[in-house]
Amino acid sequence: MSDANTTTDATLAEICVAAVADAFAGDGEIFASGMGTIPMLGARLARATNEPDLLISDGEAFFVANDLAVGSSDKQVEGWIPFRTVFDTLWGGRRHVVMGASQIDAHGNQNIANIGPWDKPKAQLLGVRGGPGNTINHTTTYFIPKHTDRVFVPKADTVSGVGYDRAAELGDWVKAHHEIRRVVTNLAVLDFDSPDHRMHLVSTHPGVSVDDVVSNTGFELVVGDDVATTRLPTAEELRILREVLDPKGFRERELPS
Amino acid sequence: MANKRTTEDEAVATLSDGMTIGIGGWGSRRKPMSLVRALLRSDLTDLTIVSYGGPDVGLLCAAGKVRKLVYGFVSLDSIALEPHFRAARQAGTIPEVVEYDEGMLQWGLYAASLRLPFLPTRAGLGSDVVKNSPDLRTVTSPYADAEELLAVPAIPLDAAFVHLNRADERGNAQFLGPDLYFDDLFLGAAATGGRFVSVEKVVATEELLANGSFHTLKINRSMVDGVIEAPNGAHFTNCQPDYERDEAFQKEYAKAAADPEAWAQFEQTYLSGSEADYQQAVKNR
């Protein structure tokens, strides 16, 4: 398709923002919460286009009703969401978060806590933060700006966010509410839409081959015959991103082309 | 009516070795840093620190004060990883480490503040939080669902330190920023006698509503034993709307933490004297 609705000059960061935005499809009136610039932009782009009922925060303590630019304080407040209310909202299931991952395995077990043994880690990272509570209570998507076999590992050293295999052991309530919807990386879009909820390759970004993804993944991916090419943002999405949501180009700093 | 005004050093002098101290704020936001600096000046040792951690945790780890650390994360926010905390974890120098999900930590403080032995939750189930804290237990719902839930144990505190914007001398305290964080729960979880609130400014009771609505009065005097006037006391963390984080200073802190010689110099410059000396050294930069 090369009509007026598509452009060919989208950057990698912009392709990833659109892929994150697509992950919110169908979510409706819930808190779309993104950790980091591209996840945050994905949530804001989704609300500005296909999911207008999403609730978006300023990243601090307020829901904002306007299309707030990254780094701007020009906000129209529509609600108060201090940390305690974030916990209430997420335990109540009314949230979809996009988090990072220092490690992730084939079942979606995610680690942001530490690398190496927990008792004396080689690298202490953030701690588990909200990963355990997020993943057991509501939908989670991951954005990983550097897709390598150091991140996509056979086994996470410490499990912060709970993957499908562990969730399956926790009973019916958990199975009904646990969902890792997408993994968006600098190379590809992945999900867990396979018989045993193992990570599955949905699409590779333009110019990226299936082999590029497979060789940078430290476990066996589910790869069908139907691997697509990740869609490009539309002209309207690019306009919103470039002129409204991120005129200063913070997205390119998080993921340079 | 009691006048509860005291000082950082007097507050710390009431504490003993081995105590459990909760520290309010969140990451590098509205931390009671002048009280933390008083802890650093003290001879206290073998402390259990409970915190949504920022530089409070880093500084106390670097000073070798911590026997046990209970946290959901430790971060400087705009600098994601706290350098002293990382170094201590990687060297294995904190004898006991309890790493919880953020919501679990709230639940433990809330349980203590309600005088309950535990509160149930799903947060943490299936994650390595359970593996890494083998004392954690589950509880089965007594209702028809019979679901197995995590029982987060109460986290009773011997003392709690929080920093807010305003208070009267009786301990009615006010937050004027966007988030109370969990400061009321830290105070609620702490033993009577050990609940200390430092504030930017002590004001007359009738002035409390001059700067914010009644919604900002979440800490009442029954929750507070000591009030400390500590202007700029949260430095270098933020204390909105009174001031933002001192990002330049935080960078200096993180840079110095990476090198023992630079750290010795940092300590000499900023942490070797009184709180007044600290504030003067910050001004002199």
Side-chain angles (χ1 to χ4, degrees):
Chain A
M1 199 165 69
S2 60
D3 57 34
N5 287 325
T6 61
T7 51
T8 52
D9 67 338
T11 65
L12 177 60
E14 290 163 345
I15 290 168
C16 288
V17 171
V20 171
D22 286 348
F24 290 104
D27 276 344
E29 203 160 35
I30 57 130
F31 180 10
S33 181
M35 307 294 166
T37 303
I38 285 172
M40 191 186 291
L41 280 169
R44 292 180 188 183
L45 182 64
R47 191 185 61 174
T49 55
N50 297 325
E51 284 298 315
D53 287 340
L54 292 174
L55 290 150
I56 303 293
S57 87
D58 64 348
E60 190 74 31
F62 298 100
F63 283 133
V64 292
N66 58 323
D67 289 328
L68 182 66
V70 177
S72 164
S73 57
D74 186 18
K75 59 195 170 205
Q76 183 191 333
V77 171
E78 67 167 329
W80 187 33
I81 185 83
F83 284 112
R84 192 171 315 185
T85 314
V86 173
F87 294 174
D88 292 348
T89 305
L90 81 89
W91 285 17
R94 299 181 304 280
R95 184 171 182 245
H96 175 174
V97 73
V98 183
M99 289 191 283
S102 303
Q103 292 180 325
I104 192 165
D105 73 15
H107 297 281
N109 295 295
Q110 166 249 26
N111 176 20
I112 49 173
N114 61 276
I115 303 298
W118 190 83
D119 289 342
K120 193 178 174 187
K122 210 182 306 171
Q124 173 66 41
L125 306 175
L126 291 167
V128 296
R129 294 218 68 149
N134 292 346
T135 45
I136 208 161
N137 282 301
H138 62 59
T139 302
T140 301
T141 287
Y142 293 108
F143 170 65
I144 298 167
K146 198 169 178 195
H147 190 142
T148 72
D149 57 8
R150 291 164 64 92
V151 178
F152 289 76
V153 293
K155 187 175 184 301
D157 294 347
T158 290
V159 173
S160 310
V162 178
Y164 277 99
D165 54 345
R166 288 172 172 236
E169 294 171 5
L170 292 172
D172 292 339
W173 192 96
V174 172
K175 272 186 277 190
H177 296 84
H178 174 267
E179 181 189 6
I180 306 174
R181 190 168 293 170
R182 293 277 165 83
V183 180
V184 175
T185 80
N186 61 320
L187 300 180
V189 177
L190 307 108
D191 66 14
F192 297 86
D193 188 10
S194 64
D196 56 351
H197 288 301
R198 288 175 54 84
M199 201 185 290
H200 159 254
L201 181 58
V202 176
S203 65
T204 60
H205 299 338
V208 177
S209 72
V210 170
D211 277 353
D212 292 334
V213 178
V214 167
S215 65
N216 280 291
T217 302
F219 52 80
E220 193 181 343
L221 279 174
V222 178
V223 182
D225 298 330
D226 55 346
V227 179
T229 300
T230 310
R231 76 172 181 92
L232 294 172
T234 66
E236 176 62 2
E237 285 175 318
L238 285 178
R239 185 193 66 76
I240 293 168
L241 258 182
R242 292 172 181 179
E243 294 176 18
V244 181
L245 295 177
D246 188 23
K248 291 183 179 162
F250 287 103
R251 62 195 179 281
E252 306 299 330
R253 288 183 220 174
E254 187 166 275
L255 185 54
S257 292
Chain B
M1 286 290 187
N3 178 345
K4 296 175 184 167
R5 287 182 74 145
T6 184
T7 67
E8 289 93 345
D9 290 317
E10 285 169 1
V12 167
T14 68
L15 308 180
S16 319
D17 291 348
M19 276 190 166
T20 298
I21 302 171
I23 302 178
W26 174 277
S28 197
R29 304 173 194 201
R30 225 186 64 236
K31 282 286 176 182
M33 295 300 287
S34 71
L35 276 158
V36 171
R37 288 185 282 268
L39 270 182
L40 295 173
R41 283 194 298 275
S42 77
D43 296 327
L44 288 171
T45 185
D46 285 331
L47 301 175
T48 293
I49 298 296
V50 181
S51 179
Y52 289 101
D56 52 336
V57 167
L59 282 162
L60 292 166
C61 286
K65 298 264 185 212
V66 183
R67 191 192 62 75
K68 179 177 175 183
L69 187 60
V70 184
Y71 62 96
F73 64 86
V74 183
S75 172
L76 300 175
D77 295 325
S78 53
I79 297 173
L81 304 175
E82 214 297 335
H84 289 303
F85 163 70
R86 294 195 84 193
R89 281 285 284 135
Q90 289 164 200
T93 54
I94 310 168
E96 200 177 340
V97 177
V98 177
E99 184 172 291
Y100 279 172
D101 168 85
E102 293 167 358
M104 286 175 67
L105 187 56
Q106 178 198 6
W107 236 216
L109 294 168
Y110 192 30
S113 75
L114 299 177
R115 304 189 297 178
L116 290 169
F118 70 91
L119 280 170
T121 180
R122 297 189 182 94
L125 289 173
S127 77
D128 280 348
V129 164
V130 178
K131 188 181 87 182
N132 294 332
S133 289
D135 292 343
L136 284 172
R137 294 289 176 267
T138 57
V139 62
T140 304
S141 164
Y143 297 104
D145 56 276
E147 188 179 345
E148 191 180 32
L149 300 162
L150 194 59
V152 180
I155 308 173
L157 307 171
D158 295 307
F161 294 163
V162 303
H163 185 80
L164 276 75
N165 302 88
R166 305 284 180 272
D168 66 16
E169 65 186 19
R170 293 188 284 177
N172 295 302
Q174 181 176 40
F175 79 109
L176 295 171
D179 204 322
L180 180 62
Y181 309 117
F182 301 90
D183 286 0
D184 55 336
L185 299 187
F186 279 97
L187 294 171
T192 302
R195 305 166 302 173
F196 295 100
V197 177
S198 60
V199 292
E200 289 299 310
K201 193 165 190 249
V202 175
V203 299
T205 306
E206 57 267 31
E207 286 175 41
L208 282 170
L209 290 181
N211 293 311
S213 78
F214 56 86
H215 304 89
T216 62
L217 298 178
K218 296 277 281 185
I219 309 289
N220 67 65
R221 59 194 167 82
S222 77
M223 303 159 71
V224 175
D225 302 304
V227 175
I228 298 145
E229 187 163 64
N232 210 33
H235 185 270
F236 52 93
T237 71
N238 71 25
C239 186
Q240 297 168 336
D242 291 310
Y243 46 88
E244 295 297 324
R245 185 180 304 128
D246 187 338
E247 296 286 357
F249 191 95
Q250 178 162 289
K251 274 187 195 145
E252 188 181 337
Y253 164 84
K255 196 172 166 212
D259 170 42
E261 269 183 46
W263 183 250
Q265 182 62 47
F266 185 98
E267 281 187 307
Q268 177 61 35
T269 306
Y270 295 113
L271 301 174
S272 60
S274 68
E275 177 65 14
D277 293 334
Y278 172 85
Q279 295 292 348
Q280 191 56 51
V282 168
K283 280 202 190 97
N284 290 348
R285 280 181 299 157

